[in-house]
Amino acid sequence: MPVEFIGWIATQETSEILPARGPLIDPDFTARIARVHEEADFDRVLIGYGSYWPDGWQVANHAVRATERLKLLMAHRPGFVVPSLTARQAVSFDHFTGGGRLALHIITGGDEADQHRDGDFLDHDSRYRRTAEYLHILRHLFTSTEPLDYAGEFYRLEGAVLPVRPATPAGMPLYFGGASQAALEVGARYADVYMVWGEPLAQARERLDQVRAAAARFSPGRTLRFSVSVRPILAPTEAAAWARAEDIAERALTRREAFVRMRGRRDSTSVGSARLLAAAADAEVHDERLFTRIAAITGAAGNTTALVGTPEQVAESLMRYVDLGVDTLLIRGFLPYQDAIDYGRELIPLVRSEVARREARLIPARGATPG
């Protein structure tokens, strides 16, 4: 199966090393960074979610008008909108944009202060029970014409049904993130794509095996796709790439103090962040080029492990995750705009070429007949 590349867009250019400048909502920049990703041959772009960020639906509407084929992965946090309304919003967007350009990334939330700013005071495991109900309802509404009566711990509906189904046979893909045991049970049961952060290969392999085993318990034969999220740091030589990585880490350290002064320290219950911090405590570099220092500096607040090297070296490292069963690669840079251009020119073609080479090598074997 061909690999899927996902990038990341926002309404202004900022990162762990770039202080925000200009208006928080910059329509011109949002359109330009969406087009840059389309031109760089990304399949999708992630639109993030946070209480400090603009509304994702509005960003998606703007980005889809600025591009022709680029697909969107919109982060959505259950608990603030009833699932039947989310389902109607999603299928409406799907039909108005030609079908097949939207997927939802379900995030349950691990930053307690961010949850509280939006009025959510449930504890970690309760949020995942709510997410399970939310996804159960979404799944039914997206796939069935039968009205749904549902009475759960968090939601109650009578006769819920959508006016239209999703516009294409692919339906409405549901991506899912979460590293706790509670998350594993929910994602293994309901997700189409289970997303993990860039952990060392041994831990990533173990995690994927756990998800597969949980999925099989819910439904024998059920399979999921997997996505890994990393931050490539590229340069023409390996030495230059590592020098760049160290410079980014130092700049992130400076930015961290400014961020804490502005917003306060995170009160995180994210198991995914804890896993990245544990990997960082174990070693600064894993598997030759997985750099964990930036994750340690930032408290692993999201996707913060990096693959460092030449484009050829980083492509080889990405293929190691593909070998584990990953077919979706979420890559974004610390210089989001320029890095997206560089990935499209230097990295994405290498990975696509290697995946195609392997696929071509398998085709004769699949079509062979016993002699």
Side-chain angles (χ1 to χ4, degrees):
M1 177 183 293
V3 70
E4 177 186 50
F5 278 97
I6 302 178
W8 179 84
I9 66 170
T11 58
Q12 65 177 173
E13 186 166 34
T14 184
S15 75
E16 292 85 351
I17 66 170
L18 286 180
R21 293 189 177 91
L24 173 59
I25 299 178
D26 183 339
D28 178 65
F29 174 77
T30 307
R32 285 190 294 111
I33 196 169
R35 285 194 292 268
V36 157
H37 279 82
E38 184 167 74
E39 293 162 3
D41 198 29
F42 282 83
D43 298 283
R44 293 186 186 274
V45 287
L46 173 66
I47 299 169
Y49 183 100
S51 64
Y52 278 111
W53 299 354
D55 175 66
W57 286 111
Q58 308 309 313
V59 178
N61 273 305
H62 188 67
V64 82
R65 290 197 301 270
T67 55
E68 296 180 1
R69 58 167 181 81
L70 186 68
K71 297 179 181 179
L72 308 174
L73 178 60
M74 195 181 75
H76 180 76
R77 190 179 291 173
F80 307 110
V81 177
V82 293
S84 53
L85 174 56
T86 298
R88 290 201 303 279
Q89 290 173 315
V91 296
S92 299
F93 186 97
D94 194 32
H95 281 265
F96 275 118
T97 56
R101 293 186 69 177
L102 178 68
L104 298 178
H105 175 33
I106 304 300
I107 53 170
T108 301
D111 181 339
E112 299 306 302
D114 200 57
Q115 299 292 135
H116 295 171
R117 280 191 291 269
D118 269 344
D120 184 13
F121 290 85
L122 289 180
D123 61 48
H124 176 276
D125 286 358
S126 297
R127 291 199 297 265
Y128 276 102
R129 294 199 309 277
R130 180 178 62 191
T131 295
E133 291 190 13
Y134 204 93
L135 288 174
H136 177 85
I137 294 167
L138 286 184
R139 273 279 178 224
H140 178 95
L141 294 175
F142 286 146
T143 60
S144 175
T145 58
E146 293 296 320
L148 174 65
D149 292 339
Y150 183 86
E153 181 182 358
F154 300 97
Y155 298 105
R156 180 178 177 181
L157 300 89
E158 294 182 357
V161 65
L162 289 181
V164 292
R165 304 277 79 69
T168 67
M172 185 62 57
L174 295 175
Y175 292 61
F176 179 88
S180 66
Q181 185 62 34
L184 184 149
E185 297 297 323
V186 176
R189 184 168 187 172
Y190 293 109
D192 295 303
V193 183
Y194 203 112
M195 306 186 77
V196 299
W197 287 335
E199 297 183 338
L201 290 167
Q203 286 92 315
R205 180 186 295 108
E206 178 185 28
R207 188 61 179 168
L208 268 57
D209 287 344
Q210 291 171 344
V211 176
R212 291 186 183 108
R217 289 198 304 272
F218 287 116
S219 177
R222 169 166 160 71
T223 59
L224 292 82
R225 294 169 54 207
F226 292 96
S227 171
V228 69
S229 302
V230 289
R231 311 286 288 273
I233 298 175
L234 307 179
T237 67
E238 184 173 13
W242 281 109
R244 184 182 175 209
E246 292 295 343
D247 177 66
I248 289 172
E250 290 302 314
R251 292 169 69 181
L253 184 61
T254 301
R255 282 276 293 139
R256 181 188 67 178
E257 297 307 319
F259 185 86
V260 169
R261 287 194 300 272
M262 180 174 65
R263 295 189 182 175
R265 297 191 180 276
R266 297 175 72 238
D267 178 15
S268 177
T269 56
S270 168
V271 174
S273 293
R275 288 171 66 96
L276 292 189
L277 291 173
D282 184 54
E284 192 169 277
V285 180
H286 292 262
D287 305 319
E288 297 181 83
R289 56 194 73 265
L290 183 70
F291 186 48
T292 65
R293 185 179 170 210
I294 300 166
I297 289 169
T298 60
N303 164 24
T304 44
T305 50
L307 288 175
V308 181
T310 66
E312 292 78 10
Q313 290 170 330
V314 172
E316 180 183 13
S317 293
L318 288 172
M319 288 303 302
R320 293 179 183 177
Y321 289 101
V322 173
D323 290 338
L324 297 182
V326 168
D327 65 9
T328 296
L329 301 170
L330 195 159
I331 56 173
R332 64 184 179 105
F334 293 97
L335 300 176
Y337 190 90
Q338 184 60 49
D339 283 340
I341 296 172
D342 292 342
Y343 297 160
R345 182 171 54 237
E346 300 174 355
L347 182 59
I348 291 175
L350 291 173
V351 176
R352 291 205 191 279
S353 176
E354 177 59 18
V355 170
R357 186 186 70 81
R358 295 186 184 189
E359 284 287 311
R361 189 176 61 191
L362 290 174
I363 289 173
R366 289 171 183 160
T369 57

